[in-house]
């Protein structure tokens, strides 16, 4: 009986603490294909075109000139923090640490690039893709690019419910113009999953659990350098796993070695798997598209970079991102439907009109507003000042503002506060 009890409790622990699963994007993508057979032709068109673009570049004697002529692509990011407890409600600082990592990893400025073995260094590529938290929402209103949603649901599956307000999640912003990242607790030890280009617009983006997001905050020791997001955003830009998700498979990229399967932990170079004939250098286990520990990853290849950049070409699924206004100055001062005005009593500014240099802004006794940003706009909709609210009662130096009508907005959660004041 005691043995049975021990066995049962061991089984329970096994159920409660499953092994970490780095990424489920490949099985997720298969599921999407089955559920939406209509997208098959689009997916196949994308694959064919990206392969032909890659082939052109690969055979071109002007390859390096092409790379050197690339403009930086700017991607507005919106992070949906969907949480049920404090641990899941990660800080703005943790979110920014993840944005910084994406920029380093996609642009070969990550400090641990130095760990890449010499034989692979020349294959490393710089994508010239820059990620930034959105400054304008899809309607042109000011935003910090961070949405916080408290949810009654503690765990999420890779079934995309987290991507809908109606299911206790947070609905995507127009995925043609924003990279949507959901930070939410995934069940089953899953670290993250991503949609591939060409899928459903409302499900487009990546989902990552909070304790592997960024490099600051409460993080799992082996996944504490933000590489889950670098890997998932790689999928979002059409990169496959190095082994193509079958034994010794192909990832449709010309310069990644064939690989038998995934690697975990932190292998030593060279890592040679029998039966896959990938030469003396073996697996490229330090590539972001393997499953190794965060500290042991450090590169995308030039071929992978071509693949990702090809998604922004004409007729390709990320092309519209080049026209996004998500990083513009906000141009719309119309209060959003969720906006509370001064009349709700949640925010007050005084004195109003203000003739002195100091305007005091107070918010309700709600800690949500402390640490958020305020934005001041003139009547033409230009942002003239911004800053962070350090206290519930915050003093803003408005001495540099000339006389006139201004609007002040505070926001970043599901709610924005805005009001109008006059400087004399
Ligand atoms: Zn993956």
């Amino acid at each position: 009986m005691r043995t049975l009890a021990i066995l049962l409790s061991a089984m329970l622990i096994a159920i409660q603490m499953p092994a970490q699963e780095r990424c489920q994007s490949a099985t997720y993508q298969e599921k999407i294909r089955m559920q939406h057979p209509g997208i098959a032709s689009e997916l196949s068109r994308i694959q064919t075109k990206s392969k032909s673009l890659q082939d052109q570049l690969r055979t071109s004697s002007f390859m390096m000139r092409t790379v050197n002529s690339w403009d930086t692509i700017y991607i507005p990011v919106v992070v949906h923090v969907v949480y049920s407890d404090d641990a899941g409600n990660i800080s703005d600082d943790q979110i920014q640490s993840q944005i910084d990592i994406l920029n380093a990893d996609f642009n070969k400025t990550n400090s641990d690039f130095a760990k890449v073995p010499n034989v692979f260094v020349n294959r490393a590529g710089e994508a010239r893709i820059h990620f930034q938290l959105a400054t304008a929402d899809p309607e042109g209103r000011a935003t910090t690019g961070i949405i916080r949603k408290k949810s009654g649901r503690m765990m999420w599956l890779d079934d995309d419910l987290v991507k809908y307000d109606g299911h206790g999640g947070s609905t995507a912003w127009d995925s043609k113009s924003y990279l949507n990242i959901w930070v939410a607790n995934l069940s089953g030890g899953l670290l993250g999953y991503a949609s591939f280009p060409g899928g459903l617009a409302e499900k487009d983006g990546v989902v990552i659990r909070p304790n592997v997001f960024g490099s600051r905050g409460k993080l799992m020791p082996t996944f504490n350098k933000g590489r889950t997001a670098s890997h998932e955003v790689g999928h979002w830009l059409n990169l496959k796993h190095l082994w193509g998700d079958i034994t010794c498979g192909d990832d449709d990229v010309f310069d990644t070695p064939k690989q038998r399967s995934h690697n975990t932990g932190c292998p030593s170079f060279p890592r040679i798997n029998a039966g896959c004939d990938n030469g003396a250098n073996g697996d490229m286990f330090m590539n972001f598209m393997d499953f190794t520990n965060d500290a042991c990853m450090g590169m995308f290849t030039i071929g992978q970079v071509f693949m990702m950049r090809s998604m922004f070409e004409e007729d390709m699924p990320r092309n519209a991102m080049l026209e996004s206004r998500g990083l513009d100055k906000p141009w719309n001062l119309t209060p959003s439907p969720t906006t509370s005005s001064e009349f709700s009593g949640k925010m007050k500014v005084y004195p109003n009109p203000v003739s002195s240099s100091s305007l005091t802004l107070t918010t309700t006794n709600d800690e949500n507003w402390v640490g958020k940003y305020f934005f001041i706009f003139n009547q033409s909709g230009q942002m003239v000042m911004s800053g962070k609210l350090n206290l519930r009662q915050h003093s803003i130096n408005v001495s540099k503002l000339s006389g006139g009508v201004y609007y002040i907005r505070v926001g970043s959660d599901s709610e924005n506060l805005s009001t109008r004041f006059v400087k004399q």
Side-chain angles (χ1 to χ4, degrees):
M1 201 61 195
R2 186 157 181 267
T3 318
L4 184 64
I6 290 169
L7 191 65
L8 276 173
S9 65
M11 281 170 71
L12 272 174
I13 288 166
I15 291 164
Q16 285 162 359
M17 301 179 64
Q20 296 309 318
E21 191 176 359
R22 198 85 166 90
C23 168
Q24 223 159 45
S25 300
T27 49
Y28 168 78
Q29 177 72 348
E30 275 317 299
K31 208 162 58 181
I32 290 286
R33 277 174 190 269
M34 303 281 276
Q35 287 168 351
H36 308 283
I39 65 169
S41 60
E42 174 64 357
L43 295 179
S44 126
R45 186 190 70 80
I46 293 165
Q47 287 313 116
T48 309
K49 182 157 181 187
S50 68
K51 192 165 185 317
S52 105
L53 285 166
Q54 262 204 87
D55 286 346
Q56 281 172 30
L57 285 162
R58 184 186 171 186
T59 53
S60 165
S61 55
F62 300 113
M63 186 204 266
M64 288 326 288
R65 200 184 298 171
T66 306
V67 171
N68 288 334
S69 69
W70 277 345
D71 288 332
T72 299
I73 294 170
Y74 290 88
I75 306 215
V77 179
V78 54
V79 177
H80 307 256
V81 181
V82 182
Y83 64 97
S84 65
D85 58 15
D86 288 349
N89 190 17
I90 60 169
S91 68
D92 290 0
D93 180 59
Q94 185 173 343
I95 292 166
Q96 189 57 51
S97 76
Q98 181 63 71
I99 301 291
D100 295 344
I101 287 161
L102 287 172
N103 287 325
D105 286 355
F106 278 74
N107 297 295
K108 222 172 76 174
T109 56
N110 51 310
S111 59
D112 43 11
F113 178 68
K115 293 183 201 161
V116 171
N118 282 337
V119 290
F120 291 141
V121 163
N122 289 339
R123 284 195 224 177
E126 177 190 335
R128 300 203 191 163
I129 296 175
H130 190 86
F131 301 88
Q132 205 175 316
L133 288 168
T135 50
D137 77 6
E139 281 78 45
R141 294 182 293 254
T143 178
T144 56
I146 300 170
I147 297 172
R148 296 179 185 278
K149 283 275 179 79
K150 181 146 187 163
S151 178
R153 192 183 280 258
M154 292 168 70
M155 285 285 184
W156 300 87
L157 300 169
D158 67 345
D159 57 5
D160 291 328
L161 293 186
V162 73
K163 301 174 181 175
Y164 296 92
D165 285 339
H167 290 288
S170 180
T171 298
W173 284 7
D174 177 14
S175 54
K176 282 195 169 63
S177 298
Y178 299 88
L179 161 57
N180 285 270
I181 299 179
W182 288 268
V183 179
N185 234 339
L186 290 164
S187 64
L190 178 61
L191 304 191
Y193 71 95
S195 65
F196 283 76
L200 270 70
E202 64 197 51
K203 295 182 174 181
D204 188 88
V206 309
V207 186
I208 294 170
R209 65 188 309 149
N211 61 351
V212 300
F213 195 76
S215 60
R216 296 191 289 269
K218 206 175 169 203
L219 297 163
M220 293 174 65
T222 43
F223 306 112
N224 61 356
K225 297 190 82 178
R227 262 61 199 254
T228 304
S230 299
H231 176 107
E232 297 304 338
V233 175
H235 286 313
W236 182 76
L237 291 172
N238 213 36
L239 295 188
K240 290 181 181 173
H241 294 139
L242 299 179
W243 59 102
D245 297 294
I246 52 170
T247 306
C248 299
D250 186 18
D251 61 357
D252 295 329
V253 170
F254 67 84
D255 57 357
T256 49
K258 247 191 181 5
Q259 196 166 298
R260 186 175 184 80
S261 183
H262 65 269
N263 290 292
T264 54
C266 201
S268 347
F269 177 81
R271 164 92 174 141
I272 297 163
N273 273 308
C276 201
D277 195 23
N278 64 1
N281 299 327
D283 294 355
M284 193 183 267
F285 59 83
M286 72 302 306
N287 191 292
F288 295 124
M289 298 318 287
D290 205 334
F291 278 5
T292 38
N293 291 352
D294 278 16
C296 308
M297 292 183 162
M299 67 177 283
F300 288 118
T301 66
I302 293 170
Q304 287 174 317
V305 162
F306 281 172
M307 171 66 89
M308 295 195 279
R309 295 272 315 193
S310 74
M311 293 298 115
F312 297 90
E313 296 286 326
E314 216 177 305
D315 295 332
M316 292 298 259
R318 304 292 178 218
N319 178 261
M321 197 65 71
L322 305 177
E323 307 298 322
S324 173
R325 297 186 69 190
L327 296 174
D328 288 1
K329 278 185 180 172
W331 63 92
N332 180 354
L333 293 173
T334 314
S336 73
T338 53
T339 293
S340 312
S341 72
E342 57 189 319
F343 303 110
S344 74
K346 284 201 172 183
M347 176 170 83
K348 282 195 172 66
V349 290
Y350 61 87
N352 190 7
V354 54
S355 50
S356 63
S357 64
S358 175
L359 180 75
T360 302
L361 188 156
T362 64
T363 52
T364 47
N365 189 15
D366 177 346
E367 292 303 321
N368 279 342
W369 301 108
V370 175
K372 302 305 175 218
Y373 289 84
F374 67 84
F375 304 90
I376 297 178
F377 303 93
N378 62 19
Q379 275 192 297
S380 318
Q382 290 168 312
M383 186 164 70
V384 290
M385 263 185 86
S386 65
K388 203 172 187 177
L389 290 181
N390 299 319
L391 296 164
R392 276 208 307 115
Q393 187 162 311
H394 186 96
S395 177
I396 301 168
N397 186 338
V398 291
S399 57
K400 284 187 181 155
L401 297 183
S402 48
V405 175
Y406 293 90
Y407 300 86
I408 183 161
R409 179 185 297 278
V410 183
S412 83
D413 293 7
S414 52
E415 191 173 40
N416 284 305
L417 304 180
S418 69
T419 192
R420 176 177 172 275
F421 69 92
V422 177
K423 173 77 194 299
Q424 287 184 326

